[in-house]
Amino acid sequence: PNHHLDNLPFPALDLLPSITDYTISPHHGRSGRFAPVNTTRGCPYNCEFCSITAYQGTKYRFRSVENVIEELKMLKDEQGVTMTSFREGVATLRKTRMKQICQRMIEEELNLSWTCTATISSADPEMFRLMKAAGCTSIEYGIETGSETVLNANPYLLSKNFSVEKVAEVVHMTADAGIDVHGYFIIGMPGETKQTVDETIKFACSVPISTAGFTIAIPFPGTELYHYYSSRNRLHDKPWYQFDPNFGVVIEHESLTATELEAAYKKAWRKFYLRPSQILRRFRAIRSWADLLNHIDLGYRYLVAGTSSSNPKGWGWKTTGFKKSPDGKVPQDFSNEELTEGKGMSDTVIKVGALMTKRYIIQQGQQGDVSAQINGLASLILFAIAATDRGESFMSKALATSGFFKGTTKK
C-alpha cells in the first residue's frame, strides 16, 4: 500500500448538517444511515470516457486494510452508519486485498451493508462469497454496451477481456452469489447506431441485472473521448456544467443525431425499468416508508424528470422536494416553486409527484408493510404512466378533471 494515503485524515463528516439529509440510490441499499468511503487512487485501465486517470493517474495506490477498517468503525461508532459504498474506480482490482478487507469486517462484526465497483475481469466466485458474508449487497459494473459492434470500435474494452458473453457470465456469477448487480451503460460511443442501442437494451434486459444506469457519452476534459471529438471539431461549445445528459447532447455523433441520442437515452431507461418483472422486483425491495420515498425519488429523477420530453433541461442537483418535519421523519408540503425554478419541468409531472407525496402523508404511520408495498406499486404505476408522452397527456387531463389540485396553473 501507499502509506502516505493512510496519513490522510478521514472525511470531516461532523461539518455536515446531517448525513441523513442525503438521498442514496436504491442499489446502494435500503433505508438507513449512509456514508461513502474511498480506499484507493488511480486506475490502470485508462478507459477513454473516464476522468479518473486524468486527475489521479494510472498508477494504482491503495490504503492499508487496517486503515480502511478504522474508517469503517469510525463511521459506525461515531456517525451511526449502517450502509456504505466503496466509491473508487475499481474496488476489486486486487482481489487478495478485497478478501482481507472482507475478512476483517467479519472479524470486527461491523454488520454494515455495502456496495462497491468492480470490473468484469476481476470476477471471482470465492471473493464474491466472502464479500456476501461481509455484508456486500450490490456490485457495480461498467458494462458500457451490449453490442459486439461497439466493443470492436472501442479497443480498450477488448483489452480488459471484455465480451458480451463474458459480461453475461460474470453477471450470472454475481447474482448466483446472492449479490445484486448494478450495470452502467453508455449510449453514443464511437460505432453506436440505432441497432447497437437496441442490442444494448435487449442485453440489459436479458441478464439478471437488478438496477441499471444509462447515460449519453460525455467527453470529459483529459479523456481520450474528449480528444476524439475535439480533434474532429465535433464537440459543442457549452458551459462545463452542461456536460450532463440532463442538459442535452454535447457531441456531434457520426451516426446518430442529437435528437436520436436523446430518444435512445429515454428509451433505454423506460425499457429497462418499466418491464413488469422490474417493477415487481422494485416493489419487493420496499421494506419501509423510507424505502418507498427513496424509490419515488429515484423513479422521479430517472423516469420522469431526467428523461421526459417535458423536461429538456433536466433538474441538476435538485431532489424531489420532499421536506422533513422537525422530527426528521414525516415529509411536509411539496414545493412546486423549489422544483420548477429555472428547470423547465411540466405541471403534470409536478402534480403526479405531489399526488404521491400527499398519499404518503395521509397513510404514514397508519398502515403496515403490506399497505406500504401496495402504495409503492401504485406510485410506480403512476410514474410509468407519467413517464411517457402519451401518458403525460392522459395524466394532465385526468388531474384537471378530478379537481384534486385547485388553483394551479394550467399548461
Side-chain angles (χ1 to χ4, degrees), residues 236-313:
H236 294 176
D237 184 16
K238 287 189 175 185
W240 291 123
Y241 74 88
Q242 291 188 9
F243 273 53
D244 183 299
N246 285 332
F247 288 95
V249 179
V250 297
I251 59 174
E252 291 183 18
H253 195 269
E254 297 85 345
S255 305
L256 300 170
T257 66
T259 300
E260 289 171 337
L261 282 172
E262 290 176 348
Y265 172 62
K266 299 173 186 177
K267 180 181 180 180
W269 280 103
R270 292 170 180 170
K271 285 286 188 179
F272 184 86
Y273 280 102
L274 299 185
R275 294 173 292 153
S277 60
Q278 181 64 20
I279 291 177
L280 182 60
R281 179 181 292 117
R282 303 320 312 161
F283 169 59
R284 286 174 173 171
I286 297 172
R287 294 291 183 273
S288 68
W289 287 110
D291 290 345
L292 173 59
L293 278 182
N294 200 15
H295 280 72
I296 290 176
D297 181 16
L298 271 296
Y300 187 85
R301 280 193 230 173
Y302 296 139
L303 298 183
V304 183
T307 60
S308 172
S309 60
S310 63
N311 181 35
K313 294 183 179 179

Side-chain angles (χ1 to χ4, degrees), residues 176-231:
D176 289 344
I179 300 174
D180 288 343
V181 174
H182 179 81
Y184 290 110
F185 295 90
I186 300 176
I187 294 172
M189 292 292 286
E192 192 83 89
T193 64
K194 290 183 179 180
Q195 179 179 341
T196 62
V197 170
D198 287 340
E199 290 172 358
T200 293
I201 296 172
K202 182 179 179 180
F203 175 78
C205 295
S206 68
V207 291
I209 295 176
S210 301
T211 54
F214 301 90
T215 186
I216 298 174
I218 302 291
F220 294 111
T223 64
E224 288 297 321
L225 194 63
Y226 181 88
H227 174 73
Y228 178 89
Y229 281 108
S230 62
S231 64

